[in-house]
Amino acid sequence: MKLIRSKLAILAIVSVAAGPLSADESLPVRNCTWCHGSSAQGFMMAPRLAGQRDQYIENQLLSFRDHIRDNPLSRQYMWGAAANLSPQTVHDLSAYFSTLPTLPANDGDRQLAAAGRTIYEQGIAESNIVSCLVCHGPNAEGVREIPRLGGLSYSYLKRRLEQWGEGFHAAAGPMPHIASTLSPNEIDALASYLSFVGSASVE
């Protein structure tokens, strides 16, 4: 948290001296990449935007604007960031980031990846949890407004699942119920596996 705050403080100071925008860069894009990385691959708890489903990004920006996505970092950073975005800017940002190439984070626990893959592909019958691929696709690529999970960072995925279980963003379809049913070990395994999806080690 301190590192994120420090980065934002530094960016606020240097933004004036950031130089002219490149031919394919808009000010909203630059604002996003300050936290999400210059190639939108993510930074710490700021998730990767590159290659994410455009409908999902658009829905999340609207969710931030309308204060529906209400976990602590959303309140602290994204509510303000999305507050004054026009519908056209929301659409353009979503389309832009969805076209960028993806790189898997590869930052989970490899020893847990096999267990996480089993949960993703088969679900947990005794907990009445269906396989994740039913909604997110066989390669965790997402479908329409359902997000791509493959290759997102372990820390981001773990915290999102934990926060759903804690009651944040309660309007997010079936996820709050599913996440509240997962044990800490199951969350660790699932987040670890997904962080490697897209790399040769799990293909």
Side-chain angles (χ1 to χ4, degrees):
M1 180 67 72
K2 289 182 179 179
L3 285 175
I4 293 176
R5 288 174 178 166
S6 297
K7 184 175 183 182
L8 288 174
I10 292 169
L11 289 170
I13 294 170
V14 303
S15 61
V16 175
L21 299 174
S22 63
D24 60 348
E25 182 185 30
S26 68
L27 184 58
V29 166
R30 174 175 287 182
N31 289 342
C32 296
T33 58
W34 281 342
C35 289
H36 293 273
S38 59
S39 57
Q41 298 298 330
F43 176 80
M44 295 180 63
M45 291 303 293
R48 186 188 69 197
L49 301 179
Q52 186 54 272
R53 310 295 300 189
D54 58 344
Q55 291 181 46
Y56 174 76
I57 297 175
E58 187 163 347
N59 287 345
Q60 295 312 297
L61 286 171
L62 296 176
S63 181
F64 293 131
R65 184 199 67 187
D66 297 338
H67 298 179
I68 295 171
R69 186 162 168 175
D70 58 351
N71 55 295
L73 289 181
S74 295
R75 288 172 175 267
Q76 187 169 3
Y77 300 114
M78 288 307 303
W79 282 15
N84 297 313
L85 295 178
S86 69
Q88 186 62 53
T89 299
V90 167
H91 177 78
D92 291 346
L93 284 171
S94 304
Y96 170 73
F97 286 118
S98 71
T99 65
L100 298 181
T102 63
L103 295 172
N106 291 331
D107 61 347
D109 185 337
R110 289 190 180 276
Q111 294 183 335
L112 297 177
R117 183 171 192 163
T118 298
I119 294 172
Y120 186 85
E121 294 180 347
Q122 300 179 21
I124 307 173
E126 58 270 27
S127 299
N128 199 30
I129 296 176
V130 300
S131 66
C132 306
L133 63 79
V134 170
C135 292
H136 292 276
N139 299 307
E141 70 275 22
V143 181
R144 294 185 296 278
E145 73 278 5
I146 298 173
R148 173 191 291 270
L149 302 180
L152 293 179
S153 73
Y154 162 82
S155 58
Y156 172 75
L157 290 164
K158 172 181 166 67
R159 190 62 190 131
R160 282 293 282 149
L161 288 168
E162 290 173 340
Q163 288 176 337
W164 271 316
E166 293 164 4
F168 292 107
H169 202 185
M175 285 309 304
H177 170 70
I178 292 172
S180 67
T181 307
L182 294 171
S183 71
N185 287 341
E186 289 164 344
I187 287 175
D188 278 349
L190 188 55
S192 289
Y193 164 66
L194 287 168
S195 79
F196 295 113
V197 171
S199 64
S201 61
V202 297
E203 298 303 323

